[in-house]
Amino acid sequence: MLKVRSFIVALAVAGSLAAAGFLLATTTGSAANRSLAPVPDAQAVSAHAPYLAGQCGMCHNPQEAVEGSPGGVPADVAELCASCHYDMDEAIKGSAVAHAPAMMDCTSCHNPHNSPNPSLLLEEPKNLCLGCHGEIQQTIATARVQHDAVIDDLACMNCHNPHASDIQALLTRLPFDLCVSCHSEDNKVDSDGRLLTNFSRLLAENPYHHGPIEGKDCSACHLTHGGDNHSLLVADYPAAFYAPYDPDNYALCYRCHNDQNMADPETTTTTRFRDGSRNLHYLHVNKPDRGRSCRACHEVHASENPHQIRDAVPFGPRNWMLPINYTKTDTGGSCARTCHQTKTYDYTAE
């Protein structure tokens, strides 16, 4: 009966907060009931000051104390916490998005006595969050490719504020800025030893940005919590310089781009990368074995050249920078040496 009454109270609080203009970040799973009893002092790494001082009456009603119990606490636990933690209470109520547990009951996440975790958390951050956010837990558990930010020590709190934020999904920054803030280190390598891109420098030094980058939307191509494709891509895209051509292998690109660019050996409409009607996209990509993947010519994030044409592309396990030497003209362009001898094309040619 008590659980039912608590649930009804929580719904009523959520409804009144929403009516007052708060956007509540709620959960879709349910965590197991966690004990709020103190842990042995030897296990505690954080402790609540009133508990350390033995002043149980700061939170408990001493008039209700009986042997083995310090007495009851007020029904509105969040209000009790706010009577001391007024700065946190003001920050939460002054934010556009509030985490429902932070508004309703601080003990959903914090032990009011002591804890084997920092900040009086009932569990380590990742397990605590995933105890309620079951759909994210399932994504992480089944993902073939993991996002380090989701599974390291701070886990969810690398990107989310657990109390409140002025940004959707309790993010600590706008999504694009959040991604770039981490993916902007020099000399950082991935698990395969490949040097990772410093995106702050790449975007600052290259004026031509791919559409999703221009729109500040990393999620157009990448998943956040985990996925099945390399680089957390939302759909298939070849990982190597050479790839057999199959439209399904380029499902990521064809979410935005016209697959007919690669389908016809002759065209005068679907692309300007052609010599007369000879489709040069088809020539380069549409091969059963050594088709050049999009990355052979295009930098998928930002480039010095229009259409994200690369100056050079990493080639082979040593990542040798293979020059493309592309020059644009009014009616086409040219590529010089390295891949092949200098060749020019003119899409106006008969």
Side-chain angles (χ1 to χ4, degrees):
M1 183 65 183
L2 179 60
K3 290 182 179 179
V4 173
R5 186 182 300 116
S6 299
F7 180 67
I8 293 172
V9 170
L11 287 179
V13 171
S16 62
L17 289 170
F22 284 103
L23 177 61
L24 290 182
T26 57
T27 64
T28 57
S30 59
N33 291 331
R34 301 179 177 95
S35 172
L36 299 181
V39 301
D41 289 344
Q43 298 178 17
V45 300
S46 59
H48 200 195
Y51 171 76
L52 278 180
Q55 296 182 359
C56 304
M58 290 292 294
C59 301
H60 295 271
N61 185 349
Q63 296 178 348
E64 299 177 2
V66 295
E67 185 177 354
S69 170
V73 296
D76 191 337
V77 175
E79 184 177 348
L80 174 63
C81 298
S83 66
C84 286
H85 298 280
Y86 59 89
D87 52 342
M88 178 62 72
D89 185 58
E90 291 176 353
I92 293 172
K93 291 178 178 177
S95 299
V97 184
H99 195 192
M103 294 293 292
M104 298 175 190
D105 185 353
C106 306
T107 60
S108 296
C109 299
H110 299 278
N111 188 314
H113 303 105
N114 63 3
S115 172
N117 302 295
S119 303
L120 293 171
L121 292 175
L122 296 173
E123 295 189 47
E124 63 178 78
K126 180 176 70 173
N127 292 340
L128 186 61
C129 298
L130 297 182
C132 285
H133 295 278
E135 78 290 0
I136 302 300
Q137 182 182 39
Q138 180 68 14
T139 296
I140 295 171
T142 59
R144 291 203 296 262
V145 180
Q146 300 280 356
H147 190 187
D148 288 346
V150 175
I151 59 177
D152 74 3
D153 291 339
L154 287 177
C156 310
M157 290 191 290
N158 283 312
C159 300
H160 301 277
N161 187 311
H163 297 110
S165 172
D166 286 329
I167 302 171
Q168 63 180 352
L170 294 168
L171 293 175
T172 58
R173 303 188 193 188
L174 291 171
F176 181 82
D177 297 335
L178 189 59
C179 298
V180 173
S181 70
C182 282
H183 295 277
S184 292
E185 298 182 30
D186 289 322
N187 303 316
K188 185 175 181 179
V189 297
D190 65 10
S191 58
D192 295 325
R194 293 178 299 183
L195 185 66
L196 298 178
T197 301
N198 180 326
F199 279 96
S200 287
R201 179 179 297 120
L202 177 74
L203 300 181
E205 294 178 352
N206 294 276
Y208 294 96
H209 294 177
H210 194 195
I213 297 291
E214 192 71 32
K216 296 185 180 297
D217 185 9
C218 303
S219 64
C221 298
H222 300 278
L223 296 168
T224 304
H225 296 107
D228 292 335
N229 298 303
H230 71 90
S231 304
L232 292 170
L233 294 174
V234 301
D236 285 340
Y237 177 70
F241 184 93
Y242 293 117
Y245 183 73
D246 183 327
D248 290 343
N249 291 342
Y250 293 86
L252 177 71
C253 303
Y254 295 151
R255 286 162 60 93
C256 295
H257 296 283
N258 185 355
D259 62 356
Q260 290 303 304
N261 287 350
M262 317 298 170
D264 300 319
E266 299 286 332
T267 182
T268 59
T269 57
T270 60
T271 178
R272 286 190 171 184
F273 185 39
R274 52 187 169 81
D275 194 30
S277 63
R278 189 186 186 202
N279 184 349
L280 301 180
H281 270 131
Y282 179 95
L283 175 71
H284 285 80
V285 174
N286 207 317
K287 297 177 183 294
D289 48 4
R290 292 172 66 83
R292 277 69 168 174
S293 61
C294 303
R295 64 166 42 83
C297 298
H298 299 281
E299 164 53 59
V300 295
H301 295 104
S303 172
E304 290 185 6
N305 306 303
H307 309 297
Q308 285 76 58
I309 300 295
R310 311 182 72 138
D311 290 327
V313 57
F315 184 82
R318 295 172 59 188
N319 281 344
W320 172 62
M321 295 305 293
L322 186 157
I324 294 177
N325 298 318
Y326 171 77
T327 301
K328 186 179 185 301
T329 67
D330 290 340
T331 59
S334 66
C335 295
R337 294 184 177 277
T338 309
C339 286
H340 47 64
Q341 295 297 319
T342 300
K343 293 182 181 293
T344 63
Y345 69 96
D346 180 351
Y347 61 79
T348 67
E350 295 294 335

